[in-house]
Amino acid sequence: MANPITSLKERVEVAKKMASNGLSREIAMYVLEDTECLRLGELHLIDGQEVLASHRSEMVLQAYEGEGFFVEIALGRVPGLLPNEVFGSPQEYLEDILQRSLYKTELFDGVLLTCSQLLRRGDRPLGPALGGWLAAYLNDEFHRPTVKGPNPNKNLFRNDTIGLAVGCLEEVGFPPTRNQVSEKTSACDYVSEALREVGSIALSYDAVARIYFANIKRN
């Protein structure tokens, strides 16, 4: 019996082999069926703000513990990945996060979530940095920052996932986009179809293409 596909990367590699005889809708949908990373069928159920807060909480926790991938990046130890500012220690990195949490909602939510998790665990003290931040918040010395107008992070997770899906099909060999008179066989076409069929999200080819180009520009 063949080994089960355990990652999106493996699924893309299998699709590449399948595509050696030509690209097809079936190959595209095979890739987009991934339920571990893409999870297109659940996108309409996922709260992007909660995902972002969880991501930021992991950053805070690693800075607090002094180790982890985010810390390695912040200290400039990951080749090819340099942050806007390289910190001299995890403590400096944590203090910078806490300072920016005063005006960045996603960081505020991440710090608060980390404090809650550590208090629930009860096996380690918050320490002066996190403890001081939480005490100041509870004493109303600052409040959760708010963003005027539409939340810019509302669809961030959804759009990142869509961009990833298009990128996977592009790696298999599908053109990411097409002109208006070409056959509807581009990666953006198939992602739009998959979102509609398995994810209950109605996004046209044009909408998916705009998300794809916006992700390229942002990254």
Side-chain angles (χ1 to χ4, degrees):
M1 180 180 294
N3 292 328
I5 301 300
T6 58
S7 72
L8 178 58
K9 182 178 180 180
E10 288 180 334
R11 189 174 287 267
V12 169
E13 291 302 317
V14 170
K16 284 182 181 179
K17 295 177 182 178
M18 295 165 61
S20 61
N21 295 321
L23 298 170
S24 67
R25 174 187 177 280
E26 288 69 28
I27 293 174
M29 293 304 163
Y30 168 78
V31 174
L32 300 177
E33 285 172 357
D34 171 79
T35 57
E36 294 299 319
C37 185
L38 296 180
R39 298 165 61 190
L40 298 185
E42 301 175 28
L43 278 187
H44 64 296
L45 302 175
I46 297 174
D47 186 325
Q49 194 68 34
E50 289 184 6
V51 172
L52 195 59
S54 178
H55 178 273
R56 296 298 187 265
S57 176
E58 185 63 27
M59 291 173 56
V60 178
L61 184 61
Q62 289 187 16
Y64 162 80
E65 295 179 336
E67 59 182 7
F69 184 63
F70 291 117
V71 171
E72 293 297 300
I73 294 176
L75 270 57
R77 296 174 180 170
V78 180
L81 287 177
L82 288 177
N84 294 328
E85 181 179 355
V86 177
F87 300 93
S89 68
Q91 181 64 28
E92 286 185 15
Y93 177 43
L94 176 59
E95 290 174 354
D96 178 75
I97 291 174
L98 296 180
Q99 183 61 39
R100 289 187 291 125
S101 74
L102 301 181
Y103 57 88
K104 285 187 172 291
T105 304
E106 66 272 17
L107 281 177
F108 176 93
D109 291 343
V111 174
L112 191 60
L113 180 59
T114 301
C115 289
S116 172
Q117 291 171 340
L118 289 172
L119 288 172
R120 286 177 183 276
R121 276 168 39 181
D123 56 348
R124 293 181 64 181
L126 289 180
L130 284 178
W133 183 96
L134 183 60
Y137 170 61
L138 294 176
N139 287 331
D140 287 330
E141 293 179 25
F142 61 86
H143 300 89
R144 182 178 186 269
T146 57
V147 179
K148 294 182 179 180
N151 184 350
N153 298 318
K154 180 181 179 181
N155 293 319
L156 185 62
F157 179 78
R158 184 201 70 176
N159 292 351
D160 280 349
T161 302
I162 289 172
L164 175 61
V166 174
C168 287
L169 294 187
E170 188 177 5
E171 187 176 345
V172 172
F174 291 92
T177 58
R178 59 171 170 80
N179 60 43
Q180 294 299 320
V181 296
S182 297
E183 285 189 64
K184 298 180 180 180
T185 56
S186 73
C188 286
D189 283 300
Y190 289 128
V191 171
S192 172
E193 180 181 345
L195 286 168
R196 185 171 59 254
E197 291 191 357
V198 304
S200 301
I201 298 176
L203 286 177
S204 66
Y205 160 83
D206 289 331
V208 173
R210 283 195 296 271
I211 291 170
Y212 168 73
F213 285 122
N215 281 2
I216 291 177
K217 185 176 181 180
R218 178 161 55 86
N219 296 326

